[in-house]
Structures are given as C-alpha cells and as structure tokens.
Amino acid sequence: MAAEKKVAKKNTKSKPCTGVNRLIRLIWFSFVGGVIFVGLFFYTISIGLLGFMPSFEELENPKSNLASEIYSADQVLLGKYYIENRSNINFDQLSPYLIEALVATEDARFYEHSGVDLRALARVFKGVITGNRAGGGSTVTQQLAKNLFPRQQLSKLELVSQKLKEWVIAVKLEYNYTKNEILAMYLNTVTFGSNSYGIKTASKTYFAKLPSELNREEASMLVGMLKAPSYYNPVRNHQRALKRREIVLSQQYKYNYITKLEYDSIRILPLDMSRYKRADHKVGLATYFREFLRGEMKVWCKTHYKANGEPYNLYRDGLKIYTTINSKMQQYAEEAVREHLAEDLQPAFFNHWKNKRRFPNAPFYKLTKQETARIMKSGMKRSARYYWMNVRNEPKDSIEAVFNRPTQMRVFSWHGDIDTVMTPMDSILYYKSFLQTGVMSVEPHTGYVRAYVGGIDYNHFQYDHVTRSKRQVGSTFKPFVYASAMQELGYNPCTEVPNIPVTFQMPDGQPSYTPKNSGDDKEGEMVTLQWALANSVNYISAFLIKRVMPGKVIELARKMGVTSDMQAVPAICLGTPSLSVYEMVGATSTYPNKGVFQKPIFISHIEDKNGNVIETFNSEAVDALDKVTAYKMLSLMEGVVKYGTGVRLRTKYKMTQNIAGKTGTTDNNSDGWFMGLTPELVTGIWVGAEDRSVHFRSTHLGQGANMALPIWALYMKRLYADTSLKVSQEPFEKPEGFYDETYDCEAIEEQKNELREESADDELDGFGL
C-alpha cells in the first residue's frame, strides 16, 4: 500500500511538468518555425519569387540616367546633354562636411548597421503604437535601394512587400559596397530641384562649386533640401531653407560633429545664393558649338555599341566627350564678337538706316514692296510661332491675324533682353536688322578647332554660321587662284603681270565677260602679284585664272577641303562661290602647314562613364600644295597686312606680329570676310545679316576690313596678352632647302631702280658726260 501511494504521489507530481515541457517545446517550435519562415520569406524575396529583384550584375552596375559631359581641351566643363542633369562623383570628391551633415541628419547609426537599422525600426514601431513618432526608420542604404530601383504605383499590400524588398536590396548593397561607396552612390542618385540631379550638379547649380569645395553651411543647406527639394529651395523659399539648414546644423551638434560655438556662429550666417545658375544649354560658353556637337554625337551613337549590344545613348549613358576647343580662346573669341558688334558695328548699322522717310523699306535695300513682303512672309513661316499654329491646323488668315496683333514678348538686345509689346511681324523685321557672325579658329598643324562662334546669341538666333551657313566668300577666294598660278606656272610673289582688263568669251552666244576693278590705281602698269593680292585687284585675278583655267582652281580647292558646289566659270576668280566658314578656315590652314590640308576636327576622344576610352580621333591629311608654293602664298598674304586691305591691323590696332591675311567683300556689301593667319593659328570670320538684301549701303562700312577684320584683331590681341596660351609670334617657317629671302617686292623694286640708275650713269660716262 505504501509503495502504491508513493507511485501515485509521483505520478501526481509529474503531470504539471509534462504540460510545461509541452509549452516550452511549442514556444521553441514556434520561434524556430518563425525564424525559418522569415528566412524562407526573405529568401524568396531575394531570388525574385515575389517580384522583381535586381541581379548581382544590376547591383554592381546600377542604371541611372547620366548626363554626357562636354569638356574643353583644357579640361573645363562646357556643357552636358541629358534627360536628368546628373553626373556621378566618387567619395574622395566629396567635402567631409557633406558626409557629416548627411549622416547626422539622415542616418546617425550609418556606420553601425548592415543596411537595416533594427533599433530605428523599433523606435518607429513604438512611435506608431504610442502615437509619438520621432523620425523615420529608413537608413541611407535603404533610401539608396529605393532610388536605384524606384517604386511604381502600389497598393498598401504591395507597398509593404516593396518595403521588404528594399530591406533585402539594402543588405545586398552593404555586402557589395563599402560604406563610403554607398554614401557617394546615394548622393549621386538624389535630386535637389532646379533640374539638378546628384550632388555634383547641385553644387554647381547653387554655389558654382565642386562638391569637394563646399563649406559646412553650404553642405548643410543641400542636405536639408533632400527632405523636400522644392519646399526647401533656397531661391524660391529662402526662410524655409534657412530653418531647415538650422535643423541640419543642430543634428551635427547633437552627434558631436561641431561644437556649440560652431553651431551658434554658422546658424546665423545668411544664405548666399548670388552664384545660383540653373543649367540651360542655350546659355554659357560655346553654345553654338555644343549644339553642333550634339548633332555629330547623335550620329556617332547610332554606330557605336555598348557591351550588351545596345547603341550608346547620348542622354543617359554618361559619356565624356573631350573636345579640341580651348576654353580661354573660346571666351576671347566670344568677347571679341561682342565688343565689335555690340559697341561699334551694330550701332553704326542702326544709325545707317535710321532715316525711315528716306528708306521706307529699311533695312532692305533697293527692294520693291512686293520683294520685301515676300522676305517677311518667308521669315514668318520659319518662325516657331507659325510652326506650332500650323501643326494645330489653324486657318491661314487666323495665323496672319496673330502675326499682326501686338503681344507681349521678350526680344534680344546687345545690352540685355527687352520686355516689350510689338507684333510678331515687327519682331521679325527687328531681328533681320541684326548683323550675324561666324568665327572659327584652327591649329593648322593638327586640325584642332580651338574656338567656334556660330552667331551672336544662341537663345535668340539659333542658325549656325560656321558649319551650316554658306555665303559668298568674295576676295577671300582669290588665294586659291594665286596658289594655282604659283604651282602651275611657277610664279612667285614678285612676278609682274599687266594690270589691264581681261575679257572672257562665253559659250552659247552669251555676252563676253570682263571683270572690273574697284579703282584705277596703277591701271595699265606692270604690277607684282603681291601688290595685286594686297589690294585685291580684280584684273589680276582674271589674268591668272585665264591662264590656269577655272577647273584647275576648283581641283586645288577640293584638295584643300572645299566640298561645296562650285561652277567652273571665270567669275569664281572674284569669289562667287558660297562656302562655309568651316571650309574656308580649313583650306586657308593649308598654307602655314607647308601645303598639307589637315581636316578640322572637334573631338580628341570619347570615354564611357567609367573613364574607358571608346574612341580617339585624328585629323585626315591631304597633300594639296608643295611646300615652296605654300610659303609663297604666305608671303603674298603678308603683303595684305603690311600695305594692303588689311593694313589697319598695323595702323589702327598696332599689331606688329608676323601676320598674313585676306579680306573679302561681296557685291552690295552683303558679306564681310577676313582670314587671319599666324604660324600656329588660322582664324576665319564672316559678318553679315541673315538676308543678303540687308547690308550697308557703302563699301567703306560694309567691306570685310571694317565688318570682320576688327573681330580678328580684338581676338588675337587677347590671345597675345594671355601668356599662358603661348601663341607663337615667330615668323612663318620656311620650307627645308628654300634659301631665298622673304619676298619683299618693294625692296626688290628699289634695287631694280638703283640698278637702272647705275646703268644710266654708266652710259653717260661712256659718252663722256
């Protein structure tokens, strides 16, 4: 009985123990099962079973819209092509103030977690329960995951799933990248408003600085904008931006990045937004060149492919395009254009046509009302306003009514845009009164284009007068004729020819053609070719082309890079062909390059977003002239500057350097040209109005020496003054084996006169006189 009682007692005590054990086992099973479930759940997320999950390759090479950047030869950023104005930087290019402000404000425990901050999540959860929320729980890495792989429109359930996916992506990012790389990537992906994507662009937009140059107050302001870029924009919402900057500074003080003294001193500093400048491809340096380059690069992208077989995208792939443009020379060229046209030539042109009673069709000259109306209607049809109204299929009479109705508009002036009220037709007439220009500089030995000015203001006048526009070249074509005579007939600059009229018998019963001189200086005398070219004598050009024939002249011009249409007729000796500034500068560069034509190029090389060189570019070379003939041409063209139509370089601008040149003026003074040559730089300039019927009435004002030459002088004086450019002032190099002295025909003529006098004296002595 006693034994049975003991067993019963023992069994009685064991029952509650068994229940506890079961509970413990249930808890353990639930815990382990939960862990396994969570693990499997996140695993299914990570392998993409619950929706998109980036692959390892996509994490290694996250896609973002990167702007392609245009750099000058001296490493100055000229501009960008983009959908989003974004350029990436590395961690070592960031200011430490940026890093401190970012970590203190967005993720104080950044260096302690592995992508997901459980402590921050617990704080958020507690805040949700208690209703006392204090900050978000997303880490910088989670925000980066969201930026790299943006959310779409999601339901609440999908949003929870997406949030969990971002946790997984954040952990993967932490595994694949260092903390510093994550910070740099994050700052590359965020937007700061004002069309500024990424910290590099934002630094330039708001402070005209690199990210490494930002001070603490600037860095704090930019980090503060991340919460709401438009709401805290310092330009539009100054006070809000100040308060937000103060919060960012207080966070830095809270986490011991700055002292109380630093906090108190920086928080009261004003926001200096004087350097704020929103990116705009229509303003800045080399606007016409950048637009020309856009067209070239779009063609290039179609025939060049990435590793995955896709063609490059100019607006998304972050190409780095290194051009031949020198930023200083470009700046000086644009300054020279502005100085001459804004301060001298354009005011003179307005004054020239101010008498409306005398010239009712001004600025059109010698046109009937019908001809003027036809030009104006053509201008109307080329306008953007007409294009969009026509796209909307508006009636023609309605369109014309709009163009004759006064409206508010902003129009160009050399002293800043003017807000005014006028009819669109009046604005077209106003714009036709402005003189345009095309300027290009090239190194003759390399073909590198160093400066490119396609017009006076790209925002208002977008037609490019360097590569697109083709205008009659006038007397700047004569060197082709003289070079042909030198090469084919063995002439030299001091060869004498008769300054008399030359008549051409024309085919098919057409009247004979006899070019006329603009004056009668030395008419009927024997003159040197140097004097003839210096004074742009038409009789001599006609004399030469009659001996070498037009076909030979065109053949030489083709070798020197001229591709435009030219008719093999005698009149080309006076400059009737219409050519571009690009063609004329390239061809003229053949002379200082010892007869070798180097095709002008604009790009030295192109890199991908990682700095790998995709392609390099070299100029094509063609032997066009022999070295001696090229040197003879330089001697001829030096005479233009010494005592010919380009002499004002010596007299007015006091330029004593070794310079060769050629002026050009077309009929009715519609086009003014100047080609200026130095041993290491050739620059061509055209000046004229959009319509050839708009021009000066007098050659004194409308000649190339007055319209175009001054731009060359002002440009080159700036180049010579800037010793960092090292522009050569040495004489033109003689070809090897050429021992003749520099052709100085005046000196030779003096020697001949002395010999004649000595001979006459000897004859007199022979007669005993």
Side-chain angles (χ1 to χ4, degrees), residues 574-621:
L574 306 186
T576 55
S578 293
L579 309 178
S580 67
V581 170
Y582 171 82
E583 289 175 296
M584 285 301 298
V585 175
T588 305
S589 298
T590 304
Y591 304 127
N593 197 33
K594 299 181 180 179
V596 178
F597 165 68
Q598 291 284 164
K599 184 178 180 179
I601 61 172
F602 306 95
I603 306 173
S604 61
H605 65 283
I606 299 173
E607 295 178 357
D608 65 16
K609 64 181 180 181
N610 298 316
N612 301 309
V613 176
I614 304 172
E615 186 172 1
T616 57
F617 298 82
N618 294 295
S619 172
E620 300 172 12

Side-chain angles (χ1 to χ4, degrees), residues 553-748:
V553 175
I554 291 176
E555 182 182 326
L556 176 61
R558 295 287 184 227
K559 289 181 180 179
M560 296 170 70
V562 177
T563 59
S564 294
D565 181 55
M566 293 182 289
Q567 299 297 314
V569 295
I572 65 171
C573 72
L574 306 186
T576 55
S578 293
L579 309 178
S580 67
V581 170
Y582 171 82
E583 289 175 296
M584 285 301 298
V585 175
T588 305
S589 298
T590 304
Y591 304 127
N593 197 33
K594 299 181 180 179
V596 178
F597 165 68
Q598 291 284 164
K599 184 178 180 179
I601 61 172
F602 306 95
I603 306 173
S604 61
H605 65 283
I606 299 173
E607 295 178 357
D608 65 16
K609 64 181 180 181
N610 298 316
N612 301 309
V613 176
I614 304 172
E615 186 172 1
T616 57
F617 298 82
N618 294 295
S619 172
E620 300 172 12
V622 177
D623 288 325
L625 290 168
D626 64 80
K627 296 178 182 179
V628 173
T629 299
Y631 183 71
K632 289 177 182 178
M633 287 304 302
L634 291 172
S635 296
L636 274 176
M637 297 171 79
E638 283 183 300
V640 174
V641 176
K642 289 177 180 177
Y643 50 79
T645 56
V647 73
R648 67 176 67 188
L649 289 175
R650 302 287 196 219
T651 57
K652 181 177 179 179
Y653 295 102
K654 311 301 180 186
M655 300 183 74
T656 59
Q657 293 85 2
N658 294 283
I659 301 168
K662 186 68 191 84
T663 59
T665 309
T666 61
D667 287 344
N668 298 324
N669 311 302
S670 295
D671 307 277
W673 289 81
F674 183 72
M675 310 301 298
L677 301 83
T678 65
E680 294 181 355
L681 194 69
V682 174
T683 305
I685 299 164
W686 166 85
V687 175
E690 177 185 306
D691 291 276
R692 287 175 174 161
S693 56
V694 177
H695 52 76
F696 283 105
R697 301 188 303 277
S698 71
T699 301
H700 171 70
L701 293 172
Q703 63 181 307
N706 186 64
M707 293 219 292
L709 178 147
I711 294 176
W712 191 90
L714 296 169
Y715 169 57
M716 290 303 297
K717 285 173 77 72
R718 285 170 165 84
L719 298 193
Y720 287 130
D722 189 338
T723 55
S724 68
L725 294 174
K726 300 179 181 178
V727 178
S728 173
Q729 301 188 42
E730 297 297 316
F732 292 101
E733 184 180 353
K734 294 180 181 180
E736 295 178 8
F738 185 77
Y739 300 108
D740 289 1
E741 294 295 324
T742 300
Y743 291 107
D744 189 341
C745 301
E746 288 186 338
I748 293 174

Side-chain angles (χ1 to χ4, degrees), residues 372-391:
T372 301
R374 188 163 53 249
I375 292 174
M376 291 296 295
K377 190 168 185 177
S378 174
M380 177 186 76
K381 289 184 175 181
R382 293 200 305 267
S383 69
R385 189 189 301 268
Y386 183 92
Y387 172 82
W388 289 113
M389 293 184 73
N390 195 47
V391 166

